[in-house]
Amino acid sequence: GPRQSVDPAARMMIQVIDCSHIDPDANPEAVGVLAQAEFAQPFDLATGPLMRFVLLRFAPQDHLLLFTVHHIVADLWSSALFLGELFEAARAYTAGVRPDLAPVPVQFIDYVRWLRAREANDDGSGLDHWVATMDGA
């Protein structure tokens, strides 16, 4: 059946593409083509990785980071949270301080345990709710 598998030794690689021949302000279409090409690359669910980072380097201080993630790993809300933390980490790094990140209140496994306990104690009202909601669909 389904199971969670976490590889503690997993490393994220960042592919760096030299785009010094492109002026992103003068030619945003070229940047869009590069981004679309990256986003169109398929994921291999069996071997991963299921997240990719590509850094487009236009000049020594001018970069664009592309973040592509398979929907099995993160939804829009999770991706937005991750990117917010990434931006905060980058801001802190450039300022030479520690990032100001909110503590993580629960892990995914905590949510799974909560769901299992809820299902184990379900008196049928959850099922009744959905039967009524889907009536006539």
Side-chain angles (χ1 to χ4, degrees), residues 16-41:
V16 179
I17 299 177
D18 179 14
C19 296
S20 57
H21 60 285
I22 299 173
D23 179 351
D25 295 324
N27 193 358
E29 295 82 17
V31 177
V33 168
L34 290 170
Q36 285 296 327
E38 164 53 27
F39 298 149
Q41 294 298 312

Side-chain angles (χ1 to χ4, degrees), residues 9-16 38 49-55 65-68:
R11 299 182 113 174
M12 292 305 307
M13 303 302 293
I14 299 177
Q15 178 186 5
V16 179
E38 164 53 27
L50 302 179
M51 290 192 308
R52 295 190 302 260
F53 294 91
V54 175
L55 187 69
L65 180 65
L66 305 177
F67 167 61
T68 311

Side-chain angles (χ1 to χ4, degrees), residues 10 29 32 39 60 71 78 94 97 124 135:
E29 295 82 17
F39 298 149
H71 65 89
S78 300
T94 57
V97 298
D135 185 40

Side-chain angles (χ1 to χ4, degrees), residues 23 27 42 56 59 62 68 89 96-97 103 122 128-129:
D23 179 351
N27 193 358
L56 305 180
D62 189 10
T68 311
V97 298
D122 188 7
D128 293 341
H129 164 79

Side-chain angles (χ1 to χ4, degrees), residues 105-122 126 130:
V106 294
Q107 296 292 324
F108 183 72
I109 192 64
D110 299 320
Y111 175 69
V112 170
R113 287 181 184 132
W114 174 79
L115 281 177
R116 286 183 179 159
R118 183 176 167 195
E119 290 172 4
N121 297 323
D122 188 7
W130 286 111

Side-chain angles (χ1 to χ4, degrees), residues 21-104:
H21 60 285
I22 299 173
D23 179 351
D25 295 324
N27 193 358
E29 295 82 17
V31 177
V33 168
L34 290 170
Q36 285 296 327
E38 164 53 27
F39 298 149
Q41 294 298 312
F43 288 96
D44 183 340
L45 294 177
T47 62
L50 302 179
M51 290 192 308
R52 295 190 302 260
F53 294 91
V54 175
L55 187 69
L56 305 180
R57 185 173 192 264
F58 301 103
Q61 298 298 317
D62 189 10
H63 302 80
L64 177 66
L65 180 65
L66 305 177
F67 167 61
T68 311
V69 60
H70 192 282
H71 65 89
I72 200 170
V73 172
D75 58 10
L76 183 60
W77 181 86
S78 300
S79 296
L81 180 65
F82 168 74
L83 291 173
E85 290 183 352
L86 180 64
F87 294 151
E88 169 56 21
R91 183 208 59 78
Y93 176 79
T94 57
V97 298
R98 293 184 57 89
D100 183 22
L101 301 175
V104 180

